[in-house]
Amino acid sequence: MNREIINLKNLSKSYNIAGKPFYALKEVNLSFVEGEFTGIVGPSGSGKTTLLNIIGSLDSPSGGEAIVLEKNISSLNHSESARLRNYNIGFIFQVFNLLPVYTVYENVEFALLLQNFSQDERKKLVLQALEWVGLENHKDKKPDKLSGGESQRVAIARAIVKKPKILLADEPTANLDAENAHSILKTMKKINKELGTTFIFSTHDEKVMKYLNRTIILKDGNIEKETKK
Amino acid sequence: MLEFKLSIKNLLGAKLRTFLNLFVLSISFVVIILLNSLMDGWDAQAKKDSVEWEYGNGHLLNENYDPLDSFSILDGHGQIPNNINNLTPILVHQATIYPDGRMMSIKINGIPKDQKAIKIPTTKISANPSKFPALIGKRMAESANISIGDEVLIRWRDKNGTFDANRITVIDIFDSNVPTIDAGQIWMSLDNLWEMTGFNNEATFFIANDLYQHSKISGWKFKSKETLLKVITDLVDAKKSQQAIVYILLLGIALLAIFDTQVLSIFRRQKEIGTLIALGMTRKRVVKLFTIEGSLYSFFALLFGSIYGLPLFYFLAVEGFPVPPADQKVGIAMSDFIYPLYGLKLIFGTVLLVIISSTIVSFLPARKISKMNPVLALKGKLQ
């Protein structure tokens, strides 16, 4: 049985809007095991991104507990959060968030620079990651010369190059056409199988559904339904 | 260092924005170094000329004589003390000359013909057969409209107060940058002046040479070379303070440009900041990255400034900076050309000043990053 790597207990997140609390997440209880390929599905404002941000230690819960890789997110300081993300969590964003002045190679290499890999190791890992996503021939291009699909592949390569335990993808196919979306999802599925990386998506894209092993439907900050294949 | 490499990449990637900032900053570099080196050059040249033409190694003045008070000339002289060495006596006396029938009050300086304490060309007096040969400077020649070989009527009072008159022959016009030995003055043999005035074996002051060791002499006060040069130092310092306003303004504009760019960068690049944090960079490192990025402008400005600054500095060092004639009448030594003096202290001081100040103005807006919410930053929302 796979090891549990994320455990959310009574997790809540509220914001103060015009003096009144607004709950993005209400007492959510969830756990994720190693190697999952899970989608958090729901309409806009249902709390999907907030959930991913808390798991990724970019945000902290207002109530309850979020234990990620045996670390309580609420008790981490900025440096500890950064360390957790640096070594164990990869992010893929809806709008790719590539660093515009760097080439494809440098964007992917960036994650490794933070981990003090040697130049030779970095080169090997970056080329390997680019090969995974099929962009080895685009390594010298700048992001503005890439299509949406290619940009998202670079973002995936950047996220997987450090071989994180968890990969969080926030609406990764939202800005892509159907063909690119399927291609990206296939790539992610392949990485999930071969590297054993835990994938957690937030999505409301129908195309994503068929690839998911587990689907969690969120509505107004609550888990409405959960299905497993 | 990762932040350093990333900063360079970011700056090079920003192209025009980087160029404009470093261009403004490079102007500050060049102007600060240029203005200060010109002042230092003037200072050094004025001091050198003043020592060579007027001060020697210091002045031993009659206790009643004040060079700044012409009324003290009358009584400010005395018998040359016995056993004095390494001192050149100068007797100062008031007189009137009548060039082309015009009356002009002047000061006569009697100086030994064989002196070597200052650069007044007194050897020419020995070589001239005229009865009263005299030397004047270029300023005096210009204001009195006198040329070499001209005979000028001179009238003076002797030691008894009796008026006497004669003709002096101008045998040479010397070119000195020191106006205080030139304007309104005539130099002649000390023996001649003693003969004319009857103040035999008397002097108003002495010019010390490098070997002079001062010991107290009753009735005489010693002013060292450093004390005499303080006037120039003070004047140059005052001028430097005035010029500081110019380069503080220039530097201020350059730093404001960097500050502005940093503030704008932090607003425009919020997504990038959020991404860096999401990728595992600590906020401290992101602040460091932006601070280094801002302070690197000064480094690039230094390189860019060198491209056009070094040839300019070299040209001015060789050709000199021309000084308009009007500016030369400021009362202290100033030549037709000022040659800038580029000291290590000046160059390193300027580099350090610009680098430190640009680092500070880069750090101030970058501090905001440490308080940024990465979730909002990723969305690019203003914070």
Side-chain angles (χ1 to χ4, degrees), chain A residues 49 53 58-59 78-79 82-83 85-86 89 91 93 95 97-102 106 110-111 113-114 116 122 142 158 162, chain B residues 2 5-7 9-10 12-15 271-272 274-283 285 289 370 373-375 378-379:
Chain A
T49 304
N53 286 337
L58 285 173
D59 208 349
H78 289 325
S79 304
R83 193 175 165 76
R85 288 191 295 272
N86 188 10
I89 301 174
F91 281 91
F93 305 99
V95 286
N97 286 24
L98 298 179
L99 303 170
V101 296
Y102 303 157
E106 288 162 346
F110 186 85
L113 286 170
L114 295 173
N116 300 321
R122 288 202 307 268
K142 289 271 176 74
R158 182 176 66 182
K162 59 186 179 184
Chain B
L2 174 64
K5 285 182 193 163
L6 296 177
S7 302
K9 243 177 220 311
N10 287 339
L12 295 178
K15 289 177 187 144
K271 272 192 181 178
E272 184 184 328
T275 308
L276 294 175
I277 293 172
L279 289 174
M281 209 170 191
T282 59
R283 289 162 199 235
R285 287 186 85 172
L289 172 72
S370 64
N373 179 341
V375 174
L378 277 167
K379 288 176 185 165

Side-chain angles (χ1 to χ4, degrees), chain A residues 116-149:
Chain A
N116 300 321
F117 278 93
S118 73
Q119 197 178 352
D120 288 344
E121 284 174 309
R122 288 202 307 268
K123 192 175 176 185
K124 193 179 137 201
L125 290 167
V126 171
L127 293 176
Q128 194 181 57
L130 289 175
E131 204 182 316
W132 271 92
V133 296
L135 283 177
E136 59 271 39
N137 296 327
H138 295 65
K139 65 184 170 69
D140 297 322
K141 283 186 182 169
K142 289 271 176 74
D144 59 354
K145 301 279 182 250
L146 301 174
S147 67

Side-chain angles (χ1 to χ4, degrees), chain B residues 98-118:
Chain B
Y98 298 89
D100 301 326
R102 290 178 289 117
M103 189 175 78
M104 200 174 166
S105 290
I106 55 129
K107 212 163 76 171
I108 316 172
N109 299 301
I111 185 168
K113 287 181 277 191
D114 55 352
Q115 65 83 28
K116 289 188 175 70
I118 54 174

